[in-house]
Structures are given as structure tokens and as C-alpha cells.
Amino acid sequence: MPDHKLIIYQLLPRLFGNKITTNKFYGSAEENGVGKLNDITDRALAEIKAMGFTHVWYTGVIEHATMTDHSAHGIKPDDPDVVKGRAGSPYAIKDYYDIATDLAVDVEFRISEFKELVGRTHKSGMKVIIDFVPNHVARTYASDVKPNGVRDFGEDDDNTVDFSPNNDFYYIPGQPFVVPGGYNPGGDDFKSPLKDGKFDECPAKATGNDVFSPAPGINDWFETVKLNYGVYYLDGKKSYFDHIPPLWHKMYHILTYWCKMGVDGFRCDMIEIVPVEFWAWLIPNIKANYPHVIFIGEAYDKDQYYNYIHNGGFNYLYDKVGLYDAIRRLTCNEPGASAWEINAVWNNHCKGIDHNMLRFMENHDEQRIASRFFAGDAMLAVPGMIVSATLATGPVMIYSGQEVGEPAAGACGFSGDDGRTTIFDYWGMPEHQKWMNNGAFDGKDLPLGQQQLRNFYGKLLNITKDNEALNSGSFYELMIANEHQQGFDTKLYMYLRYTVHQRVLVIVNFNREARAINIKLPVEILAQFDLSGEASFSDMLSGVTFSTTDIGDGIPVIVNGSSGLLLNL
């Protein structure tokens, strides 16, 4: 386990470096632009580092299926009938050993450009995380740069049977794959000789979201093929692990390939639909040679958290169904939302593993805070971000554009107007582009309010990174000690983070209006830290000072609406 708090910046290079502002519905790479790996310059990385980040998660760098024709570079075009969006989904991997062609300035040297990005990131003082998508691949998967001796997925399969533990895929023998009806790839204006509503795949392979039919629906992951880890799903999920399935070794080789390039960690996609036995085998084997490499799992079943951490070997898991959901309800001022829901997170399903949980308020799957589907105002996230960053020693993550209030307005193509920044389409992020300022990365074009928002994120993250109590200290909740205090309500949340040397009192207010409350510290806390008499405390975020004539009687504070305090005790 790393000996410091991870502060992760997630960015899609395709979006991050894009300077073109056209944003045409279903626009091409030429029309809407596409960011390159080389756009993530030393200056850009220095600005990211200055905000307090320790790691960058480069999302969508491995080659995935796309509607863009790269045949001029010797790359076989993908059939658009099994591609989602003009750019394509980063989670429909076409070649696990290659870099997405769109991201390269010089396509012939695309892998070298990625290695150079890794080098720049390390030189800036940060580490590199990339995606590992273990459950499925693009229907057009075919590696053209795999190392000598590597056998491609399915190359040795017996496709006359629906299942064999030695096969890489699942099959529907004797039946061809059927493209879902009603799919119009690329929109009305997109023309391609391959756009005919058909895809040549016989026998059909099972679809990524466990659809064992030749005709998946339009809402299924029809662009992907499910990989076979030795589990027969049509026989009560019967496992065949008496010998290690060939796919396991192939995945080990793939991760080793990226580790050798200097990758420091993997965000692993949809880990719960891959058997935990695979993770229990894979992760220790990778760590035997690369002990520093971290594994972050996208997980949603809180009843399986312990299993994937203690048996599967993951360093960290998403805390989506716990803290994210609770904070979102509070941020949106939903009826019945209560800060006691935060108590339930650490006191129940995250009990004993709070340090293993990755906290966030945005990522590529979730709606933007500033969108009308979430809070509609990025500043309303302040109390939730304070809690997400400081509740525990586990990682906190920010999604590129979040720090400048990117609203994800409008439909993009395959991505509708749903409050999410598209991962399927060529697109520019308007508010992020103001900060990017045509590659200067100086925020010159940001309005004052967004500059203040970005400054809040930078101050919060740096305090969290540098303060011993916040990055590695213990936790003591103060809700019970204060629930009968005048001014208390269930939209306030308060706790102490502490070590022998440092103490930080965290108070957040999810109400839209200010609240005044006298914060009481329990007798055992006063005694443990020898606190008594008159005292003054400064808020590390604003510099505002609060004083008390006798700390034993409490600390009177005023917390602005949708805000919070980090008081040095």
C-alpha cells in the first residue's frame, strides 16, 4: 500500500488537448478536433501538479475501435455498425498492445509518444495510471503490434462449442451475429461503405454485458465481445479453474507489457463481472515483479468490497454506491437527504476498509456537477468535495473539467444531452478550453467565478496532500457530540482528523444558507490533546479565525451555505 494519499486527476487525452471549439453533432475528427498525447505538455503537467495531484489517470489511451478510417497508416478500418460514436468507446479495446491512433501526432511513432508522455509525467513528479478493461474487447479486435510469440484472443479457440475453458471467447454455434435494429452509426451525415447494418461474425460471440445471444439489443454493449475466464454462465456460473485458463496468462502478459513502459497503476473496469479468482492470481503475480504498481477497481456491489480487497488483492475500490450517492443527494438538496448517510458509509459497508475506498464527485461515467442533471452550479460541490478529500486516507479523484465547472451541455452524437462529457465522440470542453487557452494552460480566459472554483480545488487538494492529519491521520466523528447543540441540523457534518502532531476539525454545511453552531469536543478528545482554556483557530481554506474563551465550552463557528471549514486545532 502506498505510504501517502493518492490525489488522482482523470483526463481523456482526446478531450484534454483539443483546442477546436466547433462541437458539431456527430462531427469528425477534422471538424471537431482531437487532442493528442503531445498536447499534454510539461506546462500542462506542471499546472496539474501544482493543484496537488500525485497521479494522472490517462483514460482511453489504448487503441479502441473507431469510425475514423486510419487505413492510410496500415490500420484496418472498423465496421461502424459495431462502433459507438464517431471516435468510438475507449472501453471497446481493439488492440491491447497499441496506442489509440487518434492520439498520435506521428502515427508510426504513437507508442513512442506514449512513452514520452509517461516520461514527462514522471519528470513532473506524478505517476501514471491507465485503464485495464478485462471483461470485454471490441468485436473488431485484432492486434497488429503484438510482441513476437503472442497469440491473439480467439486465435486458438474451438468455435464449434459454446464454451470451453480453453477458449478466449463464448460462442453461439451456427448462428451469425445480428446488429441491433435501429442503430444509425455516425448519424445521417456519416457515409461509409461498411455502414450497411451488418457485421460479419459467424458464429456469433457473446456480448460484453453477459448477453449470450446472437442478437443483442441496442442498449446492450453490442460493440463488445465478452472474454472467457473459465466460467460457464449457462450452467449456473460453473467455474473451471483446475488449470489456469489461457486468457489469464494473456492478460498477465498485457499488464507486464505496460508495466515495462513505466505505468504505475491500473484502473480496472467492471471488476465484479470478472471472477475474483482471476484477480487473486493476477495481482500478486504482477506485484511480485512490480511491487509499486497499484490496482483500482471499478466496483458497485458493497457486499463484495471485502472480497475484492482481501481476496482479490485490490489496493482501492470505487466508493460510488456509498459516499458518492450520499453526497450527491445532499448536494442536490434532495428531500430526506441527511449527513447521517455519510456516517452509514464509514460505519457500515466501508468499516475497516475506508482507507481502501476511492472517493470522487465526478468521473467519465457520472454526470457533471455543473450540469442541470446534477447541481446546476459547480460551487455547490464545495462541502461534498471537502468530505470526499478529507474523510479518510484513501484516494480522492477529480475529473478533468470538474475544477472549472464544465457543464457537459448539449448532445454530442452517440452521447445524448445527459449531463455527461462524451467519451464516444470528438468534442471540445468549452470551460476547460478557456483554462487551456490554446495550449498556454494559464487560465487567462476563465471568468472570475471559475478561477475561484479552480483555486478552491487547488487549495483543498494541496492541504489534503500536505497536512499529516488529513493524509494519514485517524478519524473521530463529532455528530453525536453535537446533535443536540443549538444550530445543528442534518445538513451539517463534522469530524476530527488527527495525529500526535496535527489536528484538523472539519465542518461542512450542505444547507444553501449559513449556519452558526457551537462545536463541542468530547471530554476524551480534550483530555487526549490537553486542550483547555482560551484558544483561536484558523480556517486553512479561507484564513478566517474563530475564537473561544474556553474550548471546553465549545468553538462557536459560522459556516457559509454550501461551504466548509478546515480548522487547525
Side-chain angles (χ1 to χ4, degrees):
M1 184 71 68
D3 59 359
H4 60 277
K5 185 176 180 75
L6 278 62
I7 303 179
I8 302 169
Y9 189 67
Q10 181 193 5
L11 69 85
L12 276 75
R14 183 207 300 158
L15 299 173
F16 182 86
N18 184 19
K19 304 176 184 68
I20 295 177
T21 60
T22 305
N23 284 355
K24 174 185 173 183
F25 183 77
Y26 262 133
S28 66
E30 292 75 20
E31 292 169 322
N32 283 356
V34 54
K36 307 293 183 181
L37 298 178
N38 287 358
D39 291 325
I40 307 168
T41 61
D42 288 333
R43 174 62 190 269
L45 291 166
E47 290 296 318
I48 294 170
K49 171 71 172 176
M51 285 196 74
F53 292 101
T54 62
H55 292 65
V56 184
W57 167 17
Y58 294 114
T59 305
V61 297
I62 298 178
E63 185 183 9
H64 53 271
T66 176
M67 292 186 196
T68 301
D69 187 346
H70 293 296
S71 57
H73 301 289
I75 297 170
K76 184 179 178 181
D78 299 298
D79 190 323
D81 293 299
V82 287
V83 178
K84 291 180 177 178
R86 287 290 293 269
S89 168
Y91 295 94
I93 301 297
K94 179 180 178 177
D95 186 346
Y96 268 115
Y97 292 98
D98 208 351
I99 292 296
T101 312
D102 275 333
L103 304 182
V105 172
D106 188 333
V107 172
E108 184 181 355
F109 296 101
R110 57 192 180 276
I111 295 176
S112 294
E113 289 184 13
F114 175 73
K115 291 179 181 178
E116 290 166 0
L117 174 60
V118 172
R120 288 197 300 278
T121 307
H122 288 163
K123 183 180 177 183
S124 75
M126 296 182 291
K127 294 186 177 181
V128 172
I129 298 169
I130 65 170
D131 289 286
F132 174 47
V133 188
N135 176 68
H136 50 269
V137 294
R139 289 207 176 265
T140 54
Y141 187 94
S143 178
D144 51 10
V145 299
K146 61 183 182 291
N148 292 334
V150 171
R151 303 290 289 172
D152 229 342
F153 294 127
E155 193 171 350
D156 302 312
D157 280 7
D158 177 1
N159 64 12
T160 65
V161 296
D162 59 355
F163 169 81
S164 164
N166 294 318
N167 280 354
D168 295 329
F169 297 124
Y170 298 92
Y171 296 91
I172 299 92
Q175 299 186 60
F177 173 77
V178 180
V179 174
Y183 184 49
N184 182 19
D188 293 338
D189 294 337
F190 176 66
K191 308 299 179 185
S192 167
L194 297 173
K195 182 180 173 179
D196 58 5
K198 302 174 183 177
F199 178 66
D200 184 15
E201 180 183 284
C202 190
K205 302 181 183 77
T207 293
N209 59 323
D210 295 358
V211 175
F212 296 87
S213 161
I218 198 164
N219 294 318
D220 290 317
W221 304 350
F222 65 86
E223 82 281 19
T224 69
V225 176
K226 185 171 179 65
L227 290 167
N228 171 17
Y229 285 84
V231 178
Y232 188 28
Y233 283 79
L234 302 182
D235 186 23
K237 289 191 175 181
K238 185 175 180 180
S239 301
Y240 292 83
F241 301 148
D242 51 319
H243 71 275
I244 302 300
L247 181 68
W248 294 24
H249 291 287
K250 291 177 181 178
M251 290 304 193
Y252 170 79
H253 189 274
I254 286 164
L255 290 196
T256 299
Y257 173 85
W258 293 106
C259 287
K260 288 178 179 177
M261 283 196 206
V263 168
D264 303 292
F266 298 94
R267 178 270 188 190
C268 304
D269 189 66
M270 298 299 294
I271 65 169
E272 294 155 323
I273 51 177
V274 171
V276 71
E277 291 85 353
F278 165 71
W279 298 114
W281 174 86
L282 175 77
I283 294 175
N285 274 295
I286 292 294
K287 285 180 176 285
N289 294 314
Y290 302 95
H292 69 284
V293 169
I294 61 169
F295 285 82
I296 300 169
E298 179 192 14
Y300 300 102
D301 184 354
K302 59 182 182 292
D303 294 330
Q304 291 296 314
Y305 284 177
Y306 279 90
N307 190 21
Y308 280 89
I309 290 169
H310 294 298
N311 298 323
F314 279 90
N315 296 102
Y316 307 108
L317 301 179
Y318 273 32
D319 191 9
K320 160 66 174 68
V321 298
L323 193 66
Y324 171 90
D325 285 348
I327 284 178
R328 175 164 178 149
R329 285 191 290 272
L330 285 160
T331 303
C332 294
N333 202 25
E334 292 184 7
S338 166
W340 288 109
E341 294 178 53
I342 302 173
N343 170 282
V345 170
W346 66 263
N347 205 27
N348 293 323
H349 67 263
C350 289
K351 193 168 187 177
I353 55 171
D354 217 31
H355 59 286
N356 297 109
M357 305 311 294
L358 168 68
R359 270 64 192 254
F360 54 84
M361 286 188 70
E362 284 189 3
N363 64 41
H364 68 275
D365 286 318
E366 307 303 337
Q367 290 169 326
R368 292 289 195 177
I369 297 159
S371 77
R372 72 181 190 277
F373 301 92
F374 195 153
D377 180 350
M379 289 301 294
L380 294 176
V382 168
M385 272 314 309
I386 292 173
V387 174
S388 298
T390 68
L391 186 70
T393 60
V396 61
M397 183 173 75
I398 307 297
Y399 184 32
S400 176
Q402 175 181 345
E403 73 277 26
V404 293
E406 191 64 46
C412 310
F414 184 82
S415 289
D417 184 10
D418 62 1
R420 296 174 177 86
T421 295
T422 178
I423 65 170
F424 303 99
D425 308 287
Y426 297 110
W427 206 250
M429 298 187 291
E431 307 311 315
H432 167 78
Q433 288 172 327
K434 292 174 185 176
W435 169 72
M436 182 171 57
N437 188 21
N438 202 37
F441 299 100
D442 58 9
K444 181 180 177 182
D445 294 334
L446 277 181
L448 179 60
Q450 287 163 286
Q451 291 179 27
Q452 293 171 337
L453 177 68
R454 192 171 187 277
N455 289 339
F456 158 74
Y457 275 98
K459 185 170 287 188
L460 172 65
L461 297 179
N462 275 293
I463 291 169
T464 302
K465 175 174 65 74
D466 296 334
N467 186 280
E468 181 183 280
L470 296 177
N471 64 42
S472 55
S474 299
F475 170 88
Y476 192 108
E477 191 185 71
L478 297 170
M479 294 289 281
I480 292 175
N482 287 276
E483 62 179 329
H484 300 300
Q485 290 288 98
Q486 185 175 359
F488 178 88
D489 67 37
T490 59
K491 298 294 180 65
L492 295 171
Y493 193 64
M494 55 206 73
Y495 51 93
L496 186 69
R497 295 290 311 282
Y498 64 93
T499 65
V500 172
H501 305 292
Q502 288 184 314
R503 298 175 296 274
V504 178
L505 174 60
V506 183
I507 312 155
V508 297
N509 178 18
F510 287 97
N511 293 287
R512 303 294 169 87
E513 307 83 23
R515 289 291 186 271
I517 184 171
N518 186 51
I519 301 293
K520 293 281 287 186
L521 299 177
V523 172
E524 61 266 28
I525 290 294
L526 294 171
Q528 180 177 345
F529 297 113
D530 194 24
L531 299 172
S532 63
E534 186 176 350
S536 294
F537 309 102
S538 177
D539 174 30
M540 291 185 284
L541 289 170
S542 67
V544 174
T545 298
F546 298 91
S547 300
T548 178
T549 56
D550 187 348
I551 194 171
D553 293 333
I555 307 169
V557 299
I558 298 174
V559 192
N560 291 331
S562 299
S563 188
L565 304 171
L566 298 176
L567 298 185
N568 252 323
L569 293 192

